[in-house]
Amino acid sequence: MPLSRGAAAALSVVLLSLAAAGCADPASDPRTAGAGPAGAGPAASRDGAQGYCPLPEEQRGTPTPCATFDWNQRVKENHAYREPMAITEEQRAAAAPRAEALGAALKRLAATGTTEDGLRAAVGDALGLPAESVEVRGGGYDPLREVVVGGGEGKVCVNGGVDAAGAASAEVVGRTNDGTCLPGLGGH
């Protein structure tokens, strides 16, 4: 039989009262202690609860943290998704001709300039991939500067770029742990 709204509200109030009555006495919790005149010994808080504040001369050991904390390890773990997967020397050697072709295409485009679509098409041709699967980051297309590109199949990627001076480069790398050829930018 369902309860009426009034009965449900009354039951809720009773259950809440029972739950609150079962709480511990705040006086037994040392965290409720107020500071005494010298910051030591038993002290009463505003609500009359007693607590203990250690004397300054009492030597207490430094608490041991529950978990160790190494900032550099935390950053390394946090950025692990950017790390490349391991690839074999055979995989690297098999992709080397595509890296050479990508480097040549980027060098040519650095001298002439292009558009984003033109860059994707040229990189796709050099890597033997559809243009839509090419990853591009940057935005200086005419002239082609400060742009990185990447693409590949399986765990093997060929990434390249053109720096601010117009120098082109390309390399064979493992796909990142998050599944892209270009590492994530990260940051907060």
Side-chain angles (χ1 to χ4, degrees):
M1 170 186 215
L3 295 175
S4 68
R5 279 191 176 167
L11 181 60
S12 297
V13 170
V14 169
L15 290 175
L16 185 61
S17 299
L18 289 173
C23 293
D25 179 12
S28 66
D29 187 352
R31 295 173 296 175
T32 62
S45 65
R46 283 182 266 150
D47 65 357
Q50 293 287 317
Y52 178 78
C53 297
L55 296 171
E57 60 269 8
E58 288 182 16
Q59 297 295 320
R60 292 187 158 213
T62 304
T64 304
C66 295
T68 59
F69 182 78
D70 177 358
W71 180 256
N72 292 329
Q73 182 64 27
R74 179 178 176 198
V75 170
K76 182 180 177 185
E77 290 170 358
N78 197 31
H79 290 234
Y81 71 94
R82 301 165 82 181
E83 294 297 315
M85 296 178 192
I87 59 173
T88 66
E89 285 306 314
E90 292 80 25
Q91 289 171 317
R92 190 175 306 282
R98 287 186 275 160
E100 290 174 22
L102 177 60
L106 291 174
K107 184 176 181 179
R108 186 175 56 256
L109 291 174
T112 62
T114 188
T115 63
E116 183 176 354
D117 290 339
L119 177 62
R120 285 182 188 280
V123 172
D125 286 344
L127 299 180
L129 298 171
E132 58 273 2
S133 70
V134 172
E135 298 171 36
V136 175
R137 189 177 303 138
Y141 300 110
D142 192 18
L144 187 63
R145 300 289 188 269
E146 298 187 45
V147 173
V148 291
V149 295
E153 297 169 324
K155 290 172 51 175
V156 180
C157 291
V158 179
N159 292 350
V162 178
D163 66 14
S169 62
E171 65 180 336
V172 178
V173 296
R175 189 172 293 278
T176 64
N177 287 319
D178 70 346
T180 62
C181 285
L182 298 178
L185 294 174
H188 300 279

